[in-house]
Amino acid sequence: QVNPTLKHDPTDLRRMFGARADALIDAVSSSADLVFELIRKHHIDCNPKRSGWIQASYTEAGTAHLHKRAEQWRGYGIPVKSLDKVQVSKLTGSDQFKGGWIDSRAGSLHPFAYVMGLANAAIKAGAYIYGGTSVSSLNRLGNSWQAVTDKGLTVQANQVIIATNGYTDNLVPGLARTILSANSFMVSTTPLGLHANNILANGETLSTAQRLLLYLRKDQHNRLLLGGRGSFSDPHGISDFAHLERSLNLLYPHLAPFKFEYHWAGRIAITRDFMPHVHQPESGLTVALGYNGRGIATGTAMGKHLAALLAGGSVNEFPFPITPIRRIPFHSLQRLYITIGVAWYSLLDKMGVHSG
């Protein structure tokens, strides 16, 4: 999903960052424009579709909260629309929701194909890419840096960017302890043919307004792809995805039981404040991570603005806050954090307490 939003709405961002919030809001709000412009410019074949993102609620109280979110973004000039039960049912093909909102800026794509397209564009522009090669140490050499890889290769550069997100290790001291590395699980049905035509019929994407949210889209072969939380550990078998299979069957009982073709997982980086983090612990060393599940749009925007900054741009024009590295207390207990958090959020979701 290509969602040009953060976890926080404009009022919260202005409270958090004051006058600097407007530049941040602009950078995030234009992130989907940037993604689809890069796809067009570089002819990236990644099944792009820009039909909007729906956030839907199972409850009346949650729907009222979403309508207030929509009102905030409309006040900022963003083309979003509140949806009632009938409207959200028609768009999603499910009668499980009481209402929601739709952001027409958003869209979807095949993420691996998008990344490969960006990589090919970078190579054509003169970049070198070394896949399957981890950096084992990073050493200061005068005014530059030397990266040493696990294959014995060394690279020297004046500027280094660490952008490892949910796969961050101990290369930068303390960095891994600033995020919670949580697994996101995905399942895909077999192609559904005409049976899926009334589900997200225009190519919209969907997520539920819960703390333990589900997110859904349809691919070009009429498969339904559903994602959500997973166990802290990487999956060991198909049974680890059973909760997602049940969820999809409950969303569309008239098509259940679904047959599932693919199962996979990956890590996302969750920060304490649910904001992307940028750090510059030393001269020439920049860290950017923590997209909290919105990496395609926000990560692309981050790349653009970091490139401008490191090419000599003014830090005052950089829209993302640059903060010190602050470790999460008792980070070694992150497995316990996530387990307790999942249980607590699950209880709040069942009680119908809307998320912020």
Side-chain angles (χ1 to χ4, degrees):
Q1 297 189 10
V2 186
N3 294 339
T5 61
L6 296 171
K7 293 282 188 182
H8 302 286
D9 292 324
T11 298
D12 294 326
L13 293 172
R14 290 192 178 105
R15 176 178 50 79
M16 294 164 68
F17 302 111
R20 291 186 61 88
D22 285 349
L24 173 62
I25 293 169
D26 287 342
V28 173
S29 293
S30 62
S31 59
D33 293 335
L34 175 62
V35 169
F36 289 104
E37 173 57 23
L38 287 170
I39 292 169
R40 184 202 62 78
K41 179 179 179 180
H42 298 292
H43 308 287
I44 300 175
D45 184 11
C46 60
N47 305 120
K49 187 163 289 190
R50 198 170 188 184
S51 301
W53 162 63
I54 300 164
Q55 189 179 31
S57 175
Y58 293 102
T59 68
E60 297 286 356
T63 296
H65 176 65
L66 294 183
H67 288 177
K68 289 180 181 178
R69 290 197 69 189
E71 184 178 349
Q72 276 199 50
W73 285 105
R74 279 196 299 272
Y76 202 79
I78 302 302
V80 300
K81 179 182 178 182
S82 299
L83 303 172
D84 61 24
K85 178 178 174 59
V86 174
Q87 291 169 316
V88 80
S89 176
K90 182 177 180 180
L91 288 172
T92 64
S94 174
D95 62 2
Q96 301 297 306
F97 304 113
K98 301 296 185 183
W101 66 312
I102 183 168
D103 183 341
S104 62
R105 301 169 299 164
S108 64
L109 49 73
H110 188 298
F112 179 72
Y114 174 60
V115 169
M116 292 300 291
L118 293 178
N120 288 330
I123 291 169
K124 288 179 182 178
Y128 292 88
I129 296 177
Y130 295 88
T133 305
S134 60
V135 176
S136 53
S137 65
L138 193 60
N139 309 304
R140 189 77 175 173
L141 291 180
N143 293 325
S144 64
W145 291 88
Q146 182 188 65
V148 181
T149 76
D150 60 345
K151 295 179 172 61
L153 174 74
T154 61
V155 179
Q156 191 167 330
N158 292 329
Q159 296 284 351
V160 174
I161 298 175
I162 305 294
T164 43
N165 210 48
Y167 296 85
T168 297
D169 57 19
N170 296 315
L171 187 64
V172 176
L175 183 60
R177 297 184 181 183
T178 67
I179 60 168
L180 296 178
S181 180
N183 264 326
S184 177
F185 282 27
M186 294 285 300
V187 297
S188 168
T189 67
T190 56
L192 299 175
L194 298 178
H195 297 295
N197 278 1
N198 70 331
I199 299 174
L200 304 172
N202 301 313
E204 304 92 343
T205 63
L206 168 68
S207 64
T208 59
Q210 301 164 280
R211 289 169 175 81
L212 301 179
L213 75 163
L214 300 170
Y215 36 94
L216 177 73
R217 72 179 182 91
K218 190 166 60 177
D219 74 3
Q220 71 273 24
H221 302 293
N222 264 15
R223 297 183 183 92
L224 295 180
L225 281 63
L226 181 76
R229 67 172 176 83
S231 61
F232 181 84
S233 303
D234 292 337
H236 299 291
I238 300 300
S239 61
D240 290 332
F241 298 84
H243 62 295
L244 293 179
E245 295 182 355
R246 286 194 301 270
S247 295
L248 192 58
N249 285 322
L250 289 172
L251 274 178
Y252 300 102
H254 58 289
L255 296 178
F258 289 103
K259 294 181 180 178
F260 292 90
E261 189 171 9
Y262 298 108
H263 304 74
W264 70 98
R267 300 178 196 167
I268 62 173
I270 301 172
T271 55
R272 290 181 71 186
D273 56 3
F274 297 107
M275 287 290 297
H277 285 182
V278 181
H279 313 296
Q280 291 187 318
E282 295 188 52
S283 176
L285 178 61
T286 302
V287 176
L289 77 176
Y291 300 109
N292 296 280
R294 286 166 165 78
I296 292 176
T298 311
T300 300
M302 180 70 78
K304 171 188 173 181
H305 292 288
L306 272 184
L309 177 64
L310 299 188
S314 168
V315 69
N316 293 325
E317 296 178 359
F318 184 68
F320 295 91
I322 300 177
T323 60
I325 292 176
R326 296 190 181 97
R327 303 179 186 186
I328 296 174
F330 307 105
H331 184 272
S332 60
L333 302 176
Q334 70 164 322
R335 180 189 294 267
L336 181 62
Y337 277 150
I338 294 175
T339 301
I340 293 174
V342 166
W344 175 242
Y345 285 167
S346 178
L347 176 61
L348 292 178
D349 288 339
K350 289 175 180 177
M351 292 170 62
V353 180
H354 65 72
S355 60

